Amino acid sequence: NAGVTQTPKFQVLKTGQSMTLQCAQDMNHEYMSWYRQDPGMGLRLIHYSVGAGITDQGEVPNGYNVSRSTTEDFPLRLLSAAPSQTSVYFCASSQDIGGYGYTFGSGTRLTVV
Amino acid sequence: GQQVMQIPQYQHVQEGEDFTTYCNSSTTLSNIQWYKQRPGGHPVFLIQLVKSGEVKKQKRLTFQFGEAKKNSSLHITATQTTDVGTYFCAGNNNDMRFGAGTRLTVKP
């Protein structure tokens, strides 16, 4: 089992560029989510999905889009990168939204210049 | 909306000393989870508490859930250098909110 796989591990973008962060899980988890982690602010929820075809916004959704066409994949799209989006991004999955522990991917460190 | 506060933000201890981090929610929680993140790593699930007043132990780690299900604590007895990292709580009240974490450093 690979668990939760995130790609890329590192990325540098110029302001205004767009990109997609990939997340895939092989545990048949219904719940998937994206977090950003900034120093001193813990993990903040960007978007989440409770199943294929269903997505919803978290605490900090602005500037990001998601889709969930399959159970396995949950990509995060940055529409027009800004320096404020410099962060470490984690994808997580679980059997449901809060009744089971989350499995996190290894993260993507994004720098926007 | 739901807020989860965690204190302290940082804790530096001498190896062998005890360590405690506290988590407080503005609302009653269905359950609370604890995670550990090693430096440069990703959060790893440690445990979940569900019942009011619940206490669970994992070797030197003791987890408690308050009677009102609004607070929780993680206590590490006799810290070791392998305990270094950031400990997060996450409270569930129809959505999961993470605390800001407590960063633990251990001096050998």
Side-chain angles (χ1 to χ4, degrees), chain A residues 31 35 37 39-43 45 48 59 90 97-107 109, chain B residues 9-10 31 33 35 37 40-45 48 86 88 92 94-101:
Chain A
Y31 180 79
Y35 290 86
Q37 185 173 37
M41 301 192 74
L43 295 156
L45 181 64
Y48 66 96
E59 301 170 68
F90 289 102
I97 197 168
Y100 299 86
Y102 288 10
T103 300
F104 282 83
S106 57
R109 186 173 296 273
Chain B
Q9 189 173 2
Y10 302 97
N31 56 278
Q33 298 174 356
Y35 293 79
Q37 183 178 23
H42 58 276
V44 174
F45 174 70
Q48 174 170 277
T86 301
F88 293 96
N92 180 23
N94 295 319
D95 69 0
M96 191 67 87
R97 293 293 175 107
F98 282 80

Side-chain angles (χ1 to χ4, degrees), chain A residues 12-44:
Chain A
V12 179
L13 288 179
K14 294 183 179 179
T15 297
Q17 286 185 318
S18 63
M19 80 160 293
T20 299
L21 308 185
Q22 301 292 343
C23 176
Q25 52 93 6
D26 61 358
M27 297 171 285
N28 203 33
H29 284 169
E30 290 295 327
Y31 180 79
M32 296 185 74
S33 53
W34 278 100
Y35 290 86
R36 60 176 290 172
Q37 185 173 37
D38 303 294
M41 301 192 74
L43 295 156
R44 291 185 293 167

